[in-house]
């Protein structure tokens, strides 16, 4: 089945460490997104990419960076993790010219100590 | 005013009843509207999307769109305990090439056996 996968699924790290969250998809979609979700704050967009050469900041990009290595791969990096980056992180994909429906990966639960 | 507003709930209904979830929005030019279901700790899953005024039915779910009054609703008939989840409303704005979904904070639904 065409799918969106995220690795790792859970991660505990310490303040100041650099970490990378990875997203891969087999849906053939060109658009990819990174969100974080915190209780009571909903889904907040960190970065999005509409094709391999296109990277855009979302509403909360500070402290994060991304890399679109291929159409199917979109990675999120926390350069120097801090405790308030503790959250549930989701990758999503969608297709240009389609309904703009976004399909989500299973999420990565990140704890920064 | 937030772009997409949902009552946070919790909305509590007995098993077998109709659950009615509402979402209002501020941008009159919004094109498409999406309902997602999210179980605790899991990723959002698409229930359905709607872009024309009126009703759209899919099994036990009916989406209702009223662009003049700027609201979209989701009705769940014969509610089951397995429907207990948070329901997210999202919309696609009209203007611009870099359009992306705008999300509400979600309504928590509890279906009581």
């Amino acid at each position: 089945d065409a799918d969106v996968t995220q690795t790792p699924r859970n991660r505990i790290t310490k303040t100041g460490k650099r970490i990378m969250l990875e997203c891969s998809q087999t849906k053939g979609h060109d658009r990819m997104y990174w969100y974080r979700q915190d209780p009571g704050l909903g889904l907040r967009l960190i970065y999005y990419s509409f094709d391999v050469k296109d990277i855009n900041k979302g509403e909360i990009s500070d402290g994060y960076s991304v890399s679109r290595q291929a159409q199917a791969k979109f990675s999120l990096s926390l350069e120097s993790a801090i405790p308030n980056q503790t959250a549930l992180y989701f990758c999503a994909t969608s297709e240009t010219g389609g309904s703009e429906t976004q399909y989500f990966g299973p999420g990565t639960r990140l704890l920064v100590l | 005013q937030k772009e997409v507003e949902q009552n946070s709930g919790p909305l509590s209904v007995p098993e077998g009843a109709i659950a009615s979830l509402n979402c209002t929005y501020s941008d009159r030019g919004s094109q498409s509207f999406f309902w997602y279901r999210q179980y605790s700790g899991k990723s959002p899953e698409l229930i359905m999307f709607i872009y024309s005024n009126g009703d759209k039915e899919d099994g036990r779910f009916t989406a209702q769109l009223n662009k003049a009054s700027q609201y979209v609703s989701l009705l769940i008939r014969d509610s089951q305990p397995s429907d207990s989840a948070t329901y997210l409303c999202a919309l696609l704005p009209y203007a611009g090439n870099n359009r992306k979904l705008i999300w509400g904070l979600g309504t928590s639904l509890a279906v009581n056996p």
Side-chain angles (χ1 to χ4, degrees):
Chain A
D1 284 344
D3 213 346
V4 184
T5 58
Q6 292 183 236
T7 55
R9 295 293 312 279
N10 294 279
R11 179 72 184 270
I12 300 173
T13 192
K14 295 182 178 180
T15 296
K17 294 292 187 181
R18 182 181 189 276
I19 67 164
M20 179 182 289
L21 309 182
E22 298 187 344
C23 177
S24 294
Q25 53 111 349
T26 57
K27 289 187 169 294
H29 290 171
D30 49 348
R31 300 184 173 196
M32 299 187 74
Y33 310 81
W34 275 105
Y35 291 94
R36 65 176 281 176
Q37 189 174 43
D38 302 271
L41 296 179
L43 287 168
R44 292 186 292 168
L45 185 62
I46 306 172
Y47 271 95
Y48 61 104
S49 170
F50 282 178
D51 65 42
V52 175
K53 296 182 180 179
D54 176 73
I55 300 289
N56 303 282
K57 292 182 177 181
E59 56 185 302
I60 55 161
S61 59
D62 287 350
Y64 301 94
S65 62
V66 291
S67 173
R68 185 82 184 265
Q69 301 96 321
Q71 186 187 38
K73 296 183 182 295
F74 193 35
S75 300
L76 176 72
S77 294
L78 285 67
E79 299 301 326
S80 179
I82 56 177
N84 78 359
Q85 291 178 314
T86 293
L88 186 55
Y89 289 84
F90 290 110
C91 174
T93 73
S94 69
E95 185 175 31
T96 301
S99 65
E100 296 295 342
T101 297
Q102 291 186 11
Y103 297 89
F104 286 79
T108 294
R109 190 171 295 279
L110 175 66
L111 174 61
V112 183
L113 300 175
Chain B
Q1 181 185 6
K2 293 180 181 177
E3 295 181 82
V4 180
E5 296 216 39
Q6 298 183 254
N7 188 321
S8 63
L11 174 65
S12 183
V13 300
E15 184 174 354
I18 296 175
S20 178
L21 303 159
N22 299 310
C23 174
T24 59
Y25 60 94
S26 57
D27 179 4
R28 282 193 171 275
S30 299
Q31 279 198 313
S32 305
F33 304 84
F34 301 77
W35 282 102
Y36 282 77
R37 177 177 62 196
Q38 186 177 24
Y39 293 112
S40 180
K42 303 297 185 182
S43 57
E45 302 172 293
L46 178 72
I47 299 173
M48 62 197 310
F49 67 88
I50 185 169
Y51 52 84
S52 298
N53 271 330
D55 294 359
K56 181 180 180 181
E57 187 174 316
D58 184 358
R60 295 187 296 112
F61 299 95
T62 299
Q64 299 176 318
L65 175 60
N66 185 322
K67 290 187 176 181
S69 300
Q70 295 176 243
Y71 78 81
V72 56
S73 300
L74 181 70
L75 302 179
I76 307 175
R77 291 183 298 282
D78 187 23
S79 295
Q80 300 297 309
S82 59
D83 294 324
S84 298
T86 296
Y87 290 79
L88 302 175
C89 172
L91 63 80
L92 184 67
Y94 176 75
N97 292 325
N98 280 1
R99 297 181 299 160
K100 50 199 180 297
L101 295 187
I102 309 290
W103 296 86
L105 297 183
T107 298
S108 175
L109 172 66
V111 180
N112 305 307

